[in-house]
Amino acid sequence: PSRQTTGPQITTIAVLPLKNLTGDPGQDYFVDGMTEALTATFSRISVFSVISSTSTMHYRNTEKLAPEIARELGGVDALVEGSVVKSGNHLRVTVALIHASTDRRLWSGTYDYDVADVFALYNDIAKVVGHEISVAISESDQARLAKARVVKPEAYDAYVRGSQLIRHWMSGGCIEAERHFLQAIELDRTFALPYADLAWCSVFPDRLQRPVAELGPRARAYATQAIALDPFLARAYVVLGLVAHRLDFDWAAAEPLLKRGIALDHSDGIG
């Protein structure tokens, strides 16, 4: 990646929607999924406070300047913006870090990766941003970022399709997303994220419109499997906490699980 300048201390970040430069609007779901995943990666680093992608998605194709966006998002220090070109399973991602109050570019980089290594891509961007702005990433956070796994491209694609649908869970998104998550698991049974999102869809009966007697055990099983595959998935701990509270009526068991989930996610939403 290219480097430009180092800048002031930055601890609060918002990742703006990445631009889809593939020339195919049908890939918007994939690029949006990359925005969410990059946000989630930053939120795993304890030194950063990160605005959730639910809030930043409103700035897709915005013409607003960085200072205005930053104010509307509650006064963030910096914005991450960029674009994606996807050709088959190859990705070219260009990203830049913008100092929010001055609209000054602090750093930019271009990355070429295969979809199979997309989690290494997210981790590399987060680590380089931390280095460029002289933020000390803790050893435990560095260890987590070092463990980026390889994922089957077809499984990742199925997962991203599902993850975009559950953003609209109130209008049946989980019902549509379920088959994509199950497909992702079938294609790659060691991929933790679809288990976590299936658990999230299952923990409240209205999301899948099936009885709690069926969905409760599923939520517990999916969340447990997600944590077994990736012990740092905040959403999975939150689901287990909700199962303990809502189904087992055991607040003593629920409280540490919910606190663990919150501690693992440094955004204004649990990812």
Side-chain angles (χ1 to χ4, degrees):
S2 60
R3 294 181 179 179
Q4 293 188 359
T5 65
T6 57
Q9 182 178 5
I10 289 170
T11 57
T12 309
I13 286 179
V15 181
L16 298 183
L18 300 173
K19 295 178 181 178
N20 174 14
L21 299 186
T22 63
D24 177 10
Q27 292 295 318
D28 283 349
Y29 77 93
F30 192 92
V31 177
D32 285 348
M34 293 188 68
T35 301
E36 294 182 359
L38 187 55
T39 300
T41 302
F42 277 111
S43 72
R44 284 185 165 203
I45 301 174
S46 55
V47 74
F48 290 127
S49 176
V50 185
I51 302 298
S52 74
S53 55
T54 302
S55 299
T56 60
M57 282 297 178
H58 297 294
Y59 295 96
R60 181 201 302 277
N61 300 322
T62 185
E63 295 184 2
K64 293 181 179 181
L65 297 178
E68 183 178 2
I69 295 172
R71 284 194 301 272
E72 292 178 0
L73 291 174
V76 298
D77 299 322
L79 303 173
V80 177
E81 62 180 22
S83 62
V84 179
V85 177
K86 183 174 182 286
S87 178
N89 285 329
H90 179 263
L91 300 169
R92 169 161 285 188
V93 180
T94 300
V95 289
L97 183 71
I98 309 299
H99 187 226
S101 63
T102 63
D103 203 15
R104 180 167 62 92
R105 178 172 295 193
L106 303 175
W107 165 84
S108 66
T110 299
Y111 296 80
D112 289 279
Y113 273 78
D114 287 335
V115 173
D117 297 313
V118 70
F119 291 105
L121 164 65
Y122 302 139
N123 290 352
D124 283 353
I125 292 172
K127 286 188 288 187
V128 171
V129 167
H131 172 73
E132 290 292 332
I133 61 178
S134 302
V135 165
I137 299 176
S138 70
E139 289 186 8
S140 60
D141 289 340
Q142 288 189 43
R144 281 200 283 168
L145 294 179
K147 293 181 178 178
R149 62 160 316 226
V150 174
V151 62
K152 292 182 179 178
E154 298 84 357
Y156 186 75
D157 187 85
Y159 166 73
V160 172
R161 289 179 186 275
S163 71
Q164 296 308 294
L165 288 167
I166 65 170
R167 292 171 58 198
H168 310 288
W169 62 268
M170 292 184 69
S171 56
C174 276
I175 296 172
E176 296 182 61
E178 183 180 27
R179 65 184 177 89
H180 294 292
F181 293 142
L182 291 172
Q183 181 185 18
I185 290 171
E186 172 116 6
L187 291 166
D188 189 342
R189 295 192 178 276
T190 65
F191 186 14
L193 288 175
Y195 290 100
D197 279 358
L198 275 171
W200 187 83
C201 280
S202 301
V203 74
F204 291 103
D206 60 321
R207 291 178 181 170
L208 287 172
Q209 298 180 12
R210 297 205 289 276
V212 67
E214 173 190 348
L215 295 178
R218 279 166 48 104
R220 190 196 311 271
Y222 285 134
T224 300
Q225 182 61 16
I227 291 170
L229 293 169
D230 182 348
F232 301 109
L233 280 180
R235 176 168 287 183
Y237 287 98
V238 170
V239 168
L240 284 182
L242 291 171
V243 169
H245 178 50
R246 291 168 51 84
L247 301 184
D248 302 336
F249 305 103
D250 187 349
W251 177 248
E255 185 177 18
L257 290 165
L258 294 170
K259 286 183 175 178
R260 176 63 172 159
I262 293 169
L264 285 171
D265 189 286
H266 300 277
S267 72
D268 57 356
I270 295 297

